[in-house]
């Protein structure tokens, strides 16, 4: 439970920060391109530190590494609190903050992913992935809505509670038991690149994470939610909070279902169908002019994405030896970051070029096209029956 609550608190802090930073930037500049640039800057550390993040997770105590990352994110929230209280937050400061936030999360993601298999047995791992995902989605439902409401009172009302949430997450993470087998191999280029080689040598793993990357890279519209809230759906910060929460509602409901009824057969066809539904829901959201219909499409989108995430996350971890999970998780995190943060940059640039609605609709079409292409490129993944076909090494 300590791990579950630690994930809830850190996810809540991040979601509240994301809502506040997005609205803060759009209020300062009114530029959709700047919203995309925030996502790009946050993604850059995943590329810059990719060779080190996974190695750190495998070589050092994962609990302590995660706690340090959460402390760093708490300091970022504290800096924004002080800046907003003195009126010194600028466009440039937000970019610096986004880079620091991205750096901390670049190390935190592979560390916490690799930590979960040390806590639960392999037989229960698919259910544990769904349960851990439900923690994230619970936070993603409540935190953005709270963040949007608090921002209406002032930016400091969002940043202050974020500091407290990160402090709570830090203390819970340090209370977890340690069952890790630390990496004893010396640091070398071979050890640093081991995660890339491992993923590339497993066609199904490579196909799953690359399909998710390209589908969300093209179909993601998170960075444009402030534009939809303010200019298309004619709502305010509270509406933005609801929009950011809606995908998590669908994801949370689906995670509860998957924790109770895990997918054990036909995992490949189920995952491909879920990605296609993600694309269709994205198109529906892009064409909507109703807040309530937009929320409904985002709920469907979130549920479909959760199915894909749980299947991908479970069999990647189950097929990876413990001493390599950090490095493999770092590469997986790079793919996820490319789909999310780089996808936000893609959305901002495309919206500035062809308009907000066409950019989202085109992205949804792109996600559907990617699904069809990956059926041809990775036929064994498309027809995969079980989550794991061999014992964990």
């Amino acid at each position: 439970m300590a791990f579950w609550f630690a994930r809830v608190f850190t996810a809540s802090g991040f979601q509240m920060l994301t809502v506040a930073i997005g609205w803060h930037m759009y209020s300062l500049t009114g530029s959709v391109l700047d919203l995309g640039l925030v996502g790009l800057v946050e993604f850059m550390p995943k590329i810059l530190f990719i060779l080190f993040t996974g190695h750190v997770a495998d070589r050092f105590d994962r609990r302590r590494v995660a706690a340090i990352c959460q402390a760093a994110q708490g300091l970022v929230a504290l800096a924004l609190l002080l800046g907003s209280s003195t009126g010194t937050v600028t466009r440039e400061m937000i970019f610096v903050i986004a880079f620091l936030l991205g750096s901390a999360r670049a190390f935190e993601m592979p560390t916490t992913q690799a930590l979960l298999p040390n806590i639960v047995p392999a037989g229960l791992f698919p259910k544990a992935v769904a349960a851990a995902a439900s923690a994230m989605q619970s936070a993603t439902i409540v935190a953005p809505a709270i963040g949007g409401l608090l921002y209406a009172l002032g930016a400091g009302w969002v940043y202050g509670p974020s500091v407290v949430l990160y402090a709570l997450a830090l203390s819970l993470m340090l209370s977890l038991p340690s069952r890790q087998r630390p990496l004893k191999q010396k640091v070398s280029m071979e050890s640093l690149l081991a995660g890339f080689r491992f993923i590339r040598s497993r066609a199904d793993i490579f196909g799953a994470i690359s399909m998710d990357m390209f589908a969300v890279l093209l179909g993601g519209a998170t960075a444009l939610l402030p534009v939809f809230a303010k200019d298309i759906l004619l709502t305010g910060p509270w509406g933005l909070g609801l929009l950011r929460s809606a995908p998590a509602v669908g994801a949370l409901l689906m995670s509860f279902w998957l924790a109770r009824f895990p997918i054990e057969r036909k995992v490949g066809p189920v995952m491909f169908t879920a990605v296609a539904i993600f694309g269709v829901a994205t198109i529906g959201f892009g064409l909507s002019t109703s807040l309530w219909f937009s929320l409904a499409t985002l709920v469907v989108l979130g549920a479909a994405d959760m199915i894909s995430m749980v299947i991908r996350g479970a069999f990647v971890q189950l097929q990876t030896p413990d001493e390599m999970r950090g490095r493999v998780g770092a590469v997986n995190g790079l793919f996820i970051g490319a789909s999310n943060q780089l996808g936000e940059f893609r959305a901002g640039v495309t919206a500035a070029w062809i308009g907000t609605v066409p950019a989202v609709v085109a992205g949804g079409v792109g996600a559907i096209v990617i699904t069809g292409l990956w059926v041809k490129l990775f036929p064994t993944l498309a027809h995969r029956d079980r989550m794991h076909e061999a014992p964990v090494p």
Side-chain angles (χ1 to χ4, degrees):
M1 289 300 290
F3 182 82
W4 194 88
F5 278 111
R7 295 297 297 273
V8 168
F9 291 144
T10 192
S12 297
F14 176 70
Q15 291 296 331
M16 290 174 67
L17 282 181
T18 301
V19 169
I21 289 172
W23 195 270
H24 209 146
M25 176 63 90
Y26 195 55
S27 298
L28 285 173
T29 69
S31 169
V32 293
L33 181 59
D34 280 344
L35 291 175
L37 287 172
V38 169
L40 177 63
V41 171
E42 189 178 327
F43 172 69
M44 285 173 57
K46 286 187 172 66
I47 298 177
L48 295 176
F49 305 135
I50 181 62
L51 293 180
F52 305 101
T53 53
H55 201 87
V56 167
D58 286 336
R59 194 171 187 86
F60 300 102
D61 187 333
R62 289 167 182 159
R63 301 168 307 158
R64 296 185 181 277
V65 173
I68 291 171
C69 294
Q70 289 156 359
Q73 292 172 80
L75 291 175
V76 164
L78 180 60
L80 285 167
L81 173 62
L82 296 175
S84 62
S85 63
T86 57
T88 56
V89 176
T90 63
R91 173 178 180 270
E92 291 71 23
M93 178 182 175
I94 290 178
F95 285 137
V96 172
I97 287 295
F99 182 83
L100 295 175
L101 189 62
S103 298
R105 287 179 59 79
F107 283 88
E108 182 189 22
M109 179 176 288
T111 303
T112 54
Q113 285 180 345
L115 184 59
L116 184 57
N118 299 141
I119 300 173
V120 297
L124 297 176
F125 193 71
K127 288 186 177 182
V129 171
S134 73
M136 300 290 289
Q137 301 308 326
S138 297
T140 309
I141 291 172
V142 178
I146 292 176
L149 290 172
L150 291 177
Y151 194 93
L153 302 176
W157 286 88
V158 182
Y159 300 134
S162 298
V163 175
V164 176
L165 289 169
Y166 280 118
L168 292 171
L170 182 158
S171 62
L172 287 171
M173 190 61 66
L174 291 176
S175 72
L176 293 173
S178 178
R179 301 185 183 127
Q180 178 182 352
R181 292 178 292 177
L183 178 68
K184 298 184 183 300
Q185 181 182 3
K186 291 183 179 180
V187 179
S188 65
M189 187 55 66
E190 181 180 354
S191 69
L192 291 173
L193 293 174
F196 286 97
R197 293 197 183 101
F198 182 88
I199 288 177
R200 191 64 187 90
S201 68
R202 268 72 172 179
D204 283 2
I205 292 177
F206 179 67
I209 65 176
S210 60
M211 178 174 68
D212 177 78
M213 180 188 75
F214 284 110
V216 180
L217 174 64
L218 294 174
T222 303
L224 301 178
L225 290 183
V227 183
F228 275 91
K230 187 175 182 179
D231 299 336
I232 297 175
L233 302 176
L234 305 179
T235 182
W238 67 273
L240 174 60
L242 290 177
L243 290 173
R244 287 198 63 93
S245 298
V249 172
L252 179 64
L253 294 175
M254 183 56 67
S255 68
F256 286 154
W257 177 266
L258 294 177
R260 179 67 179 86
F261 304 102
I263 300 171
E264 297 177 349
R265 303 298 300 270
K266 297 184 178 180
V267 295
V270 170
M271 182 170 63
F272 275 75
T273 300
V275 175
I277 292 173
F278 173 88
V280 172
T282 300
I283 295 172
F285 172 74
L287 295 174
S288 173
T289 56
S290 162
L291 175 61
W292 302 112
F293 185 76
S294 296
L295 292 173
T297 58
L298 290 175
V299 168
V300 174
L301 181 151
D305 190 46
M306 174 56 64
I307 295 173
S308 173
M309 188 190 78
V310 167
I311 294 175
R312 183 183 71 252
F315 80 71
V316 167
Q317 293 289 350
L318 288 171
Q319 296 296 310
T320 305
D322 182 61
E323 64 273 13
M324 285 190 60
R325 282 186 174 124
R327 285 167 289 173
V328 171
V331 179
N332 190 27
L334 177 65
F335 278 73
I336 294 172
S339 65
N340 293 329
Q341 280 80 47
L342 200 57
E344 292 180 5
F345 176 66
R346 189 278 316 164
V349 171
T350 309
W353 179 35
I354 63 174
T356 301
V357 171
V360 173
V361 172
V365 172
I368 297 173
V369 171
I370 287 296
T371 307
L373 285 176
W374 256 240
V375 171
K376 299 294 185 181
L377 294 174
F378 298 93
T380 60
L381 175 64
H383 298 95
R384 187 183 183 99
D385 185 44
R386 294 187 179 274
M387 192 76 73
H388 53 100
E389 299 168 346
V392 180

